[in-house]
Amino acid sequence: MKSLTNRSLQVSNRKMTLMERIYLPAIIGGMFITFKHIFKKKATVKWPDEERSRSEVYRGRHVLKRDEKGAERCTACGLCAVACPAEAITMVSSERKKGEEALYREEKYASVYEINMLRCIFCGLCEEACPKEAIFLTKELMPANYERSNFIYGKDRLVEPTDSRVDVSKRQEPAVVMNKYNDK
Amino acid sequence: MSTLLIIKIVIILVVFGITLLIAMYSTYLERKVAAVMQDRIGPDRAGPWGLLQPLADAGKMFFKEDFIPKQSEKWLFIFGPGIAMFTACMTGAIIPWGGTVTMFGETFNLQIADIDIGILYIMGFVSIGVYGIMIGGWASNNKYSLYGAVRASSQMISYELAMGLAILAVVMTTGSLSLKDIVEAQKGGQWNVFYQPLAFLLFIVCAFAECNRAPFDMAECETELIGGYHTEYSSMKLGFFLFAEYINMFISSAVISVLFFGGYNFPFMYDLGLSANAITFIGVGVFFAKIIFFIFFFMWVRWTLPRFRYDQLMHLGWKSLIPLAILNLMITGGWQIFKDSF
Ligand code: SF4
Ligand code: SF4
């Protein structure tokens, strides 16, 4: 019979030869292999002393972006929460008052925005769903913690600080943006 | 006489301490060897190069909850690890750690007791060691533990036979059961392994089986029996079982070195022109180097070979090792008669 792929192997139930039944040649061969591995380069990365390099579009912890003037972009539309397969996102929306234009870009904003990082699977669907380019995943890793409650990230830890802006240009290359809006 | 007594007590304490120390660091070595053979680094956080890891492990063991299952036989459950540990520590008593030393006006052997049935003593204690596992497994009142215990006992009993026959060949060439005599007979590089290679091979295979080490770790086999006889054990009782295994490994390595690799003898030991005491002390160092090599060898094999299937194990024991051992015995006997008649 002709095989479909070139990966199939012919199996046989033939009796082992005497040489194979003694086991010793195979054992010595195997021990030689393991001995060679002692001198091989180690694969261990000693995190956190060393860090392994991550791509620019690594899907790590989230950031809620501000616009160029420093106002929050999120309009609490809830699309990210709907898109989230892990149901990790919750929010409470509020109306922007007079005089808060510098804080919030849209007339409606999220007064509470929480992501449960224990539920999140870092799939990036929230980033894809957001019509306001407000939420992004970043290169940063999620730090470990002793308390479960500390894994619920609120706006205090999600919104990007005005003095240290997070660069997401690598995630927003023209092709990505085009693709996103042609889909809809 | 009293100085000799004090010296013996000191030797006993030192041997006991060294046994525990080496067993302790075997756990460290085991993890390191496993790691480097799998292209990893292994424990390196506790102290320089992770050297304090065994202490950390012991601390962990001590502070774990010591749980005794309600349906177990309480006293036997406690006895099991005790017997395992006790028998493991007892075997070190007759290993000749070094030659004779002249010090404080006394001449003495670096050996706790040179009894003239040395090998029988070791075989005896090793077979009592099975009881630790058997009792522990049975008292747990758990299917997996019982399986582990049954496997361990049948495995050890079958391999003891081949082991005894392999040793017998060595005993025949030396003409003595005392370990001291066996070592003395191998003076100057005349190691038994060159005269009895088959017996060496049989012995080392049986030693693996007796120590419950991979590829013959049927009694524990994590994947099939979730720990076998020590499934129900926790805290320091589990620690005792595991520790006893490492002590057994150390003693096995010592016995292998004594029987087949000349013990504390090393080549050209009398051509260097050193004093008797110096030769003895170098000999002790050489002996420990041999032991550590064999401990490494045990680990090397463990991290190379997969576990045997149980029927393969029994096949190997009864249908290959024992006939080979008998054949070896006949050849040795024939050679002995042939040699004497000329
Ligand atoms: S990355 Fe995925 S799982 Fe995490 S919050 Fe966004 S949509 Fe939900
Ligand atoms: S982050 Fe984006 S998708 Fe989510 S509520 Fe805000 S604007 Fe909507």
Side-chain angles (χ1 to χ4, degrees):
Chain A
M1 201 182 82
K2 210 174 143 286
S3 65
L4 292 174
T5 64
N6 55 3
R7 278 172 297 170
S8 63
L9 287 177
Q10 196 65 43
V11 289
S12 77
N13 275 338
R14 72 177 170 82
K15 280 256 181 294
M16 289 201 290
T17 60
L18 180 70
M19 212 48 186
E20 284 166 335
R21 263 185 295 143
I22 297 178
Y23 293 123
L24 283 181
I27 288 175
I28 291 168
M31 289 179 64
F32 187 66
I33 290 173
T34 41
F35 194 75
K36 266 195 315 200
H37 273 271
I38 296 179
F39 307 105
K40 286 240 171 91
K41 197 173 161 291
K42 305 291 171 239
T44 311
V45 177
K46 290 190 179 183
W47 199 82
D49 300 349
E50 287 166 28
E51 265 197 54
R52 103 175 328 139
S53 62
R54 294 189 290 279
S55 110
E56 284 300 325
V57 289
Y58 181 86
R59 299 198 300 261
R61 60 166 286 195
H62 313 62
V63 63
L64 277 173
K65 281 292 284 180
R66 293 174 189 275
D67 67 2
E68 308 75 54
K69 296 194 211 81
E72 285 174 24
R73 289 180 182 180
C74 175
T75 183
C77 66
L79 284 178
C80 51
V82 172
C84 178
E87 304 193 345
I89 304 177
T90 50
M91 71 194 71
V92 174
S93 59
S94 302
E95 209 175 323
R96 184 179 69 186
K97 304 263 164 40
K98 252 207 156 41
E100 288 180 337
E101 284 82 358
L103 289 178
Y104 312 108
R105 191 174 67 180
E106 316 289 339
E107 282 156 19
K108 187 176 144 221
Y109 71 95
S111 54
V112 176
Y113 189 105
E114 285 179 349
I115 301 182
N116 185 340
M117 294 297 183
L118 291 176
R119 303 200 64 155
C120 176
I121 55 174
F122 300 96
C123 61
L125 287 183
C126 45
E127 172 177 335
E128 198 174 309
C130 182
K132 297 290 179 188
E133 310 302 320
I135 191 157
F136 288 97
L137 273 60
T138 64
K139 233 180 113 172
E140 248 176 83
L141 292 179
M142 267 297 303
N145 211 302
Y146 288 106
E147 302 285 331
R148 289 186 150 244
S149 53
N150 287 342
F151 280 103
I152 297 175
Y153 274 45
K155 277 181 79 174
D156 52 331
R157 283 185 284 182
L158 286 173
V159 178
E160 93 179 303
T162 35
D163 47 354
S164 60
R165 304 299 291 257
V166 181
D167 178 28
V168 291
S169 53
K170 286 279 181 344
R171 302 177 164 267
Q172 281 206 299
E173 299 205 324
V176 177
V177 179
M178 279 281 287
N179 191 28
K180 182 167 172 179
Y181 290 101
N182 285 346
D183 262 8
K184 301 262 151 73
Chain B
M1 187 59 218
S2 67
T3 21
L4 202 59
L5 194 68
I6 292 169
I7 287 167
K8 282 289 175 199
I9 290 172
V10 168
I11 292 179
I12 289 173
L13 291 180
V14 167
V15 166
F16 188 63
I18 287 179
T19 308
L20 294 187
L21 193 77
I22 289 201
M24 209 165 106
Y25 274 92
S26 298
T27 64
Y28 170 76
L29 191 69
E30 171 107 83
R31 299 168 82 170
K32 275 285 186 202
V33 168
V36 293
M37 284 184 176
Q38 298 169 353
D39 295 346
R40 295 184 285 116
I41 292 176
D44 72 335
R45 292 285 136 165
W49 304 292
L51 276 176
L52 299 180
Q53 189 66 39
L55 291 180
D57 285 341
K60 184 201 82 170
M61 283 285 189
F62 267 114
F63 289 111
K64 283 227 164 166
E65 184 191 353
D66 191 3
F67 184 75
I68 297 181
K70 211 157 113 201
Q71 81 279 17
S72 67
E73 292 286 332
K74 185 148 174 273
W75 289 109
L76 290 183
F77 190 80
I78 296 170
F79 250 30
I83 292 176
M85 191 73 179
F86 174 71
T87 53
C89 290
M90 285 301 285
T91 35
I94 51 142
I95 306 282
W97 303 102
T100 47
V101 182
T102 313
M103 219 189 267
F104 312 118
E106 294 273 359
T107 303
F108 54 91
N109 286 332
L110 289 181
Q111 185 179 14
I112 294 175
D114 178 21
I115 47 181
D116 48 10
I117 50 154
I119 287 182
L120 288 185
Y121 174 91
I122 288 197
M123 293 293 286
F125 261 108
V126 165
S127 38
I128 293 176
V130 186
Y131 285 96
I133 293 176
M134 236 161 84
I135 289 176
W138 185 78
S140 303
N141 206 353
N142 166 321
K143 293 188 206 59
Y144 292 113
S145 305
L146 188 63
Y147 266 128
V150 169
R151 279 185 178 194
S153 35
S154 57
Q155 168 185 336
M156 285 187 163
I157 290 164
S158 355
Y159 276 75
E160 232 158 57
L161 219 59
M163 190 182 221
L165 291 174
I167 292 177
L168 222 49
V170 175
V171 172
M172 274 164 76
T173 48
T174 316
S176 169
L177 284 167
S178 148
L179 289 183
K180 183 87 188 165
D181 293 351
I182 291 175
V183 174
E184 291 296 326
Q186 302 178 56
K187 273 221 156 19
Q190 291 196 330
W191 295 352
N192 275 336
V193 65
F194 304 127
Y195 302 103
Q196 293 284 352
L198 187 57
F200 165 65
L201 198 67
L202 296 172
F203 186 83
I204 201 160
V205 172
C206 296
F208 276 104
E210 287 290 307
C211 289
N212 269 323
R213 292 284 300 183
F216 304 122
D217 53 348
M218 291 297 147
E220 327 185 359
C221 54
E222 296 86 350
T223 40
E224 297 161 38
L225 294 182
I226 44 171
Y229 63 91
H230 57 57
T231 305
E232 296 285 358
Y233 281 90
S234 58
S235 183
M236 214 48 207
K237 292 204 196 70
L238 174 66
F240 265 28
F241 267 137
L242 302 182
F243 212 64
E245 191 185 314
Y246 282 101
I247 296 178
N248 281 335
M249 202 162 85
F250 169 58
I251 299 293
S252 297
S253 304
V255 173
I256 291 170
S257 319
V258 165
L259 290 182
F260 296 100
F261 286 85
Y264 51 78
N265 287 315
F266 51 97
F268 315 117
M269 57 195 288
Y270 296 112
D271 304 341
L272 297 173
L274 293 168
S275 72
N277 276 0
I279 286 179
T280 302
F281 283 115
I282 296 173
V284 173
V286 169
F287 187 40
F288 274 96
K290 285 174 190 170
I291 293 175
I292 287 165
F293 171 75
F294 279 107
I295 291 178
F296 171 73
F297 185 77
F298 266 79
M299 290 168 184
W300 186 5
V301 169
R302 171 167 180 185
W303 296 105
T304 303
L305 298 182
R307 185 180 302 124
F308 272 62
R309 230 170 39 219
Y310 200 64
D311 62 315
Q312 288 174 328
L313 175 94
M314 282 297 160
H315 252 269
L316 187 70
W318 289 100
K319 292 197 184 164
S320 310
L321 294 188
I322 291 179
L324 275 177
I326 292 175
L327 184 73
N328 187 42
L329 209 57
M330 274 157 55
I331 294 172
T332 313
W335 170 248
Q336 217 73 1
I337 293 172
F338 177 75
K339 209 174 60 177
D340 290 349
S341 58
F342 283 96

